[in-house]
Amino acid sequence: EILTAIEAQFRTAGLLTGRRVLVTSGPTFEALDPVRFLGNRSSGRQGHAIAAALAAAGAETTLVTGPVARPDPAGVTTLHVESAEEMLSACREALPVEVAVCAAAVSDWRPAQVAEQKLKKGSAAAPDIALVPNPDILAELAQPGPHRPRLVIGFAAETEKLVEHARAKLAKKGCDWILANDVSPATGTFGGDETTIHLIDATASESWTRMRKQAVAERLVQRIGRFFSGPPMS
Amino acid sequence: EILTAIEAQFRTAGLLTGRRVLVTSGPTFEALDPVRFLGNRSSGRQGHAIAAALAAAGAETTLVTGPVARPDPAGVTTLHVESAEEMLSACREALPVEVAVCAAAVSDWRPAQVAEQKLKKGSAAAPDIALVPNPDILAELAQPGPHRPRLVIGFAAETEKLVEHARAKLAKKGCDWILANDVSPATGTFGGDETTIHLIDATASESWTRMRKQAVAERLVQRIGRFFSGPPMS
């Protein structure tokens, strides 16, 4: 396995030299009060592996990561954020880039109000948490404009109707590729080390065999290298 | 500092030999759907340090912990749970014990409904999360009865009116001691390594100087040893 990783690095070494890339990784934590938050189970494993693989291929890599129990990858400029709003700000500051890979599991919503003091349980009925939509970082980065990266790549974490949901997401967000994976609890993808990826663009889809997230990162880097030297999905 | 830790271990070695104790630690994660949850920022540092210190003092120690990025303490029977309901079940199975230390930051509420599939953002307005109260593990363990531990110790994480809130909690829960600490973001207590503790029982309170959570654990073990050999707060 170590040999496979070394071989992969040889295959991609220098492939992206000098290209500026941005990767997001991990969950976002959306504060409800000073101690409570709405979070999700993203471990950051996939996003961090992609950032490390891009840097190993020579890219000038910025990683914007939510809270994860994981070291900063070597050779990567890593920015730590908590919320979706902080993640969007950090991404904007990293522009312009040629490639953006949005692997973070950004919370779709955040609590409408953040209490300054810890909410007391008190004797009243349990509260409802009113939510408001978060900024859509993938859609923002994919918006047409002078700073749009040439390649904007999103992830879709689905528990059902994988390709159908992913293609709808591609169209809605305006991004170029979606890597769709199945995160049903039974698959162990969230927090686990293996995943089955479906790569989808506007006109085609392909399924990769089940592989380690490290291998997904290497294969994606090869794909990105091919994009810059020829047709993206051939 | 290493010497201090070693000295503390000598002071407590054998102090609790053969006594069965239960410690809870970490946050609880309350699922909203297969990937999202309501969580809190407890790192498990304090609870794990207490379990380790109790075991070092000779106690037969069971630790019930929520999700933390932290190894199981040596010499401790460690049970891993996610939600408050799972934590309560695991605690019940650990009974009878002579001492229960509830250091976990148990979520007061959980989502009323857990979606089997990941909630889709869709085009509708952001949803509200309806909450229902979680079981109160500290109060359950402190209930009078043949299995009540002789000493039930709770923590109070407060951001204001520390001693006042803690004493109200002691009365309401029916526990014997409360260790109250200030978790305002400015203090760095959640996830940090130092804390200022106020030990409160039915008739007295005392403040400890700011110290490392490891030192809090050692001092608490000494206090528990004194409880079993004399008046609890003298």
Side-chain angles (χ1 to χ4, degrees), chain A residues 29-42 67 69 82 106-109 116-136 156-160 165 169 172-173 183-185 190, chain B residues 29-42 67 69 82 106-109 116-136 156-160 165 169 172-173 183-185 190:
Chain A
F29 284 2
E30 308 294 337
L32 181 61
D33 67 20
V35 298
R36 297 188 181 90
F37 59 85
L38 186 64
N40 68 67
R41 296 175 192 281
S42 171
E82 290 248 319
V106 179
S107 177
D108 293 323
W109 307 289
E116 274 183 45
Q117 302 297 338
K118 188 187 170 202
L119 297 170
K120 305 300 297 178
K121 188 154 61 164
S123 53
D128 287 3
I129 304 176
L131 300 176
V132 294
N134 260 330
D136 188 327
E158 303 291 348
T159 53
E160 55 180 351
H165 281 162
K169 183 169 182 174
K172 190 173 160 197
K173 308 285 186 177
V183 296
S184 305
F190 258 105
Chain B
F29 284 2
E30 308 294 336
L32 181 63
D33 68 20
V35 297
R36 297 187 182 91
F37 60 85
L38 186 63
N40 68 68
R41 296 175 192 281
S42 170
E82 291 246 319
V106 179
S107 177
D108 292 323
W109 308 288
E116 273 184 46
Q117 302 295 339
K118 188 187 170 201
L119 297 170
K120 304 300 295 178
K121 188 154 62 165
S123 52
D128 286 3
I129 304 175
L131 300 177
V132 294
N134 260 330
D136 188 328
E158 303 292 347
T159 52
E160 55 181 352
H165 281 162
K169 183 168 182 174
K172 189 172 160 196
K173 308 285 186 177
V183 296
S184 305
F190 259 105

Side-chain angles (χ1 to χ4, degrees), chain B residues 68-94:
Chain B
V68 294
R70 190 170 294 285
D72 295 350
V76 171
T77 302
T78 303
L79 306 174
H80 294 266
V81 300
E82 291 246 319
S83 68
E85 291 182 305
E86 290 167 8
M87 187 171 277
L88 177 60
S89 293
C91 287
R92 282 186 175 141
E93 301 211 348

Side-chain angles (χ1 to χ4, degrees), chain B residues 178-198:
Chain B
I178 290 274
L179 301 189
N181 58 3
D182 185 350
V183 296
S184 305
T187 66
T189 298
F190 259 105
D193 194 36
E194 287 201 336
T195 185
T196 304
I197 289 283
H198 304 262

Side-chain angles (χ1 to χ4, degrees), chain B residues 60-72:
Chain B
E60 286 178 36
T61 307
T62 300
L63 171 65
V64 179
T65 180
V68 294
R70 190 170 294 285
D72 295 350

